[in-house]
Amino acid sequence: MSISQESLFKIALNLEDPWFIVSIDFSAEVKKLDIHIDFKTGSKFTCPKCGKQGCDVHDTIERTWRHLNFFQFKTYIHCRVPWTDCADCGVKQVKVPWARKGSGFTLLMDSMIVLMAQHMTIKSIADMIGEHDTRLWRVLEHYVLEARSNEDFSEVKSVGVDETSRAKGHNYVSVFIDLDKSKVIHVCEGKDASTLDSFKTDLELHKGSSENIDNFCCDMSPAFISGIQDKFPNASITFDKFHIMKIMNEAIDKVRRAEQSHNALLKKTRYVWLKNPENLTTKQNETFRSLKDLRLKTLRAYGIKLALRDFWNYHNPIAAEDHLKKWYFWATHSRLNPVIDCAKTIKKHWNGVTNYIRTKIDNGILEGTNSIIQAAKDSARGFRSTKNFIITIYLRTGKLEFDLPT
Ligand SMILES: [Zn+2]
């Protein structure tokens, strides 16, 4: 049994009647493969607007699509696309089965771009396939918007919000995550209270309701707090324990820096105090042992941090609050100003801190998401716009379902 190369490619491209392959041209010198497709003379087509079958062809237009490479051959599909003449809708361009409307890529090419973009930078994909990255961004934007339009947020109850930036200190975006599903569900520009407005609108566009949101997790930024209180009156706020521990760690570091100016033993010990004891390296452990019996302010601050850390492990709200009250007394009587400031910040946000014992929610997932975002940022250097940065966040952390052939 023999099979012509035209038939072989017809199978590979999954083409059905009336479409057929006219010719296949290999150009070895320029490593190019051109596949010419046509439709059988006298074929009738479905009107792309109203779906009426059996419309006559009014005219045709020559079009070209970039397809997946066959080995190292850049592959193009060429076809005269018919225009149907529908009695109701007039003259319309037929939808071809291998590409979406208006795209210069085939669906399989789209598929590959979307798949690769979840793991690679757009710039490196552009270099690899020899296309301008703005063409790829357009493809990605289309699929992200389409996949997001099908999202259903009716079950969303617990939300974490945090900010991140496209470049250090610039172009902030706020990232909203469904804490139950660990997926990013909304990203918008800015880090002020208006971002809560943007989230609420988007939530309601996807069958969600602001009244359904029971819990919000965020840092202690006044913008997020006021935005949540304003737009999500049913939600109780839990302050993210990682942010709180970060404030405590910053306090320790301030104490250490002040103390090391007259105690050289503390030089280069920064991470000994910032890490948790169980995560210290052998060398850091030795340093810690050599310092632990000295009467150091840094050590006192460190002990206060460990006591704060114990708070998160409680399950009984009364016992937990009792612990935090004792901790507060200790911290505020430490005579260590940065530690006292930290304790006062916690006092000021008391309910949102103690809520943790009941809700047990934190933005740890977001921290993980941030590292994915960070990796994309470090390697890309070419988002071109905040819009593209947002597309990348959805692509990598949105757990979207793309409607694409595989
Ligand atoms: Zn029609």
Side-chain angles (χ1 to χ4, degrees):
M1 191 185 95
S2 78
I3 183 165
S4 70
Q5 61 175 13
E6 281 79 12
S7 313
L8 194 65
F9 274 93
K10 188 176 176 185
I11 296 164
L13 291 168
N14 207 10
L15 286 184
E16 284 176 11
D17 283 344
W19 307 103
F20 68 98
I21 293 173
V22 182
S23 64
I24 297 161
D25 304 325
F26 277 100
S27 322
E29 315 83 67
V30 288
K31 290 201 160 64
K32 194 162 164 267
L33 175 64
D34 291 290
I35 302 172
H36 297 272
I37 295 176
D38 202 354
F39 58 89
K40 288 175 184 150
T41 318
S43 298
K44 310 269 188 190
F45 290 90
T46 303
C47 168
K49 191 159 180 225
C50 71
K52 190 170 95 185
Q53 293 181 335
C55 296
D56 285 331
V57 174
H58 172 79
D59 199 357
T60 60
I61 182 169
E62 280 294 333
R63 288 199 53 198
T64 299
W65 297 265
R66 174 82 191 273
H67 189 56
L68 291 181
N69 282 12
F70 276 97
F71 298 94
Q72 71 273 52
F73 285 76
K74 266 193 175 185
T75 302
Y76 295 89
I77 289 177
H78 307 269
C79 179
R80 54 178 187 124
V81 180
W83 297 71
T84 52
D85 195 358
C86 170
D88 299 322
C89 313
V91 175
K92 298 280 167 207
Q93 197 178 138
V94 163
K95 198 187 168 306
V96 295
W98 56 84
R100 72 196 152 83
K101 199 179 161 215
S103 170
F105 294 126
T106 62
L107 288 170
L108 281 171
M109 190 73 183
D110 284 356
S111 250
M112 188 192 67
I113 292 165
V114 171
L115 182 72
M116 289 198 298
Q118 289 170 65
H119 309 280
M120 293 169 68
T121 67
I122 308 312
K123 184 75 179 62
S124 55
I125 301 169
D127 291 345
M128 192 174 98
I129 66 174
E131 295 286 349
H132 200 272
D133 67 324
T134 50
R135 285 193 79 186
L136 306 191
W137 283 118
R138 279 203 295 275
V139 171
L140 297 170
E141 183 183 11
H142 168 83
Y143 285 102
V144 165
L145 287 179
E146 185 189 60
R148 288 202 76 246
S149 72
N150 297 322
E151 291 272 87
D152 182 335
F153 298 155
S154 56
E155 306 279 307
V156 177
K157 288 184 165 60
S158 294
V159 178
V161 57
D162 201 2
E163 73 211 28
T164 186
S165 66
R166 174 182 150 208
K168 208 171 166 60
H170 295 287
N171 302 106
Y172 277 96
V173 297
S174 292
V175 179
F176 294 79
I177 194 158
D178 177 346
L179 292 175
D180 296 318
K181 289 194 174 158
S182 308
K183 62 177 252 176
V184 168
I185 54 172
H186 182 72
V187 189
C188 58
E189 282 191 57
K191 53 169 183 168
D192 54 16
S194 75
T195 60
L196 272 300
D197 235 338
S198 165
F199 173 60
K200 185 183 169 183
T201 305
D202 195 40
L203 184 73
E204 285 163 0
L205 273 174
H206 295 93
K207 301 179 191 148
S209 158
S210 56
E211 287 168 15
N212 284 352
I213 310 298
D214 298 329
N215 290 298
F216 247 102
C217 187
C218 61
D219 63 19
M220 294 185 272
S221 93
F224 282 148
I225 299 169
S226 69
I228 293 165
Q229 286 169 343
D230 191 28
K231 302 292 169 194
F232 298 87
N234 294 347
S236 90
I237 296 176
T238 300
F239 293 117
D240 178 42
K241 69 174 183 183
F242 297 103
H243 276 97
I244 296 169
M245 291 312 288
K246 192 171 154 227
I247 292 169
M248 182 71 231
N249 275 329
E250 283 163 4
I252 296 179
D253 208 43
K254 277 185 193 161
V255 172
R256 180 193 60 84
R257 268 184 282 142
E259 195 171 28
Q260 81 170 16
S261 64
H262 51 85
N263 189 336
L265 286 174
L266 283 164
K267 292 231 163 88
K268 293 185 181 164
T269 65
R270 180 163 186 242
Y271 291 100
V272 171
W273 317 108
L274 300 189
K275 277 183 161 182
N276 288 325
E278 63 274 16
N279 297 334
L280 293 180
T281 63
T282 314
K283 194 160 174 279
Q284 286 168 335
N285 240 316
E286 278 169 24
T287 309
F288 180 74
R289 279 166 206 278
S290 73
L291 296 170
K292 77 175 174 33
D293 296 323
L294 304 177
R295 297 180 63 83
L296 295 169
K297 288 177 179 171
T298 305
L299 231 110
R300 236 160 64 225
Y302 181 73
I304 293 169
K305 163 184 145 166
L306 293 187
L308 180 60
R309 198 174 72 127
D310 287 342
F311 166 75
W312 311 110
N313 297 328
Y314 278 89
H315 290 277
N316 179 331
I318 297 164
E321 188 151 6
D322 195 43
H323 177 92
L324 197 62
K325 278 180 184 162
K326 282 179 184 144
W327 175 85
Y328 178 76
F329 183 85
W330 184 19
T332 47
H333 288 75
S334 65
R335 285 169 284 117
L336 304 168
N337 284 333
V339 172
I340 294 168
D341 289 345
C342 169
K344 285 185 174 163
T345 302
I346 288 176
K347 176 85 170 176
K348 205 176 141 201
H349 298 85
W350 194 262
N351 290 340
V353 176
T354 55
N355 264 347
Y356 175 80
I357 306 304
R358 183 177 56 80
T359 65
K360 291 283 175 186
I361 55 169
D362 60 57
N363 280 348
I365 295 157
L366 259 169
E367 296 300 317
T369 304
N370 272 337
S371 70
I372 297 171
I373 295 167
Q374 205 63 41
K377 213 158 65 177
D378 290 347
S379 52
R381 268 180 280 124
F383 288 111
R384 292 187 187 274
S385 66
T386 303
K387 184 176 87 175
N388 290 344
F389 180 49
I390 291 174
I391 289 170
T392 308
I393 297 174
Y394 283 130
L395 262 176
R396 297 208 174 186
T397 61
K399 296 185 179 173
L400 291 169
E401 284 177 29
F402 299 105
D403 180 22
L404 275 164
T406 47

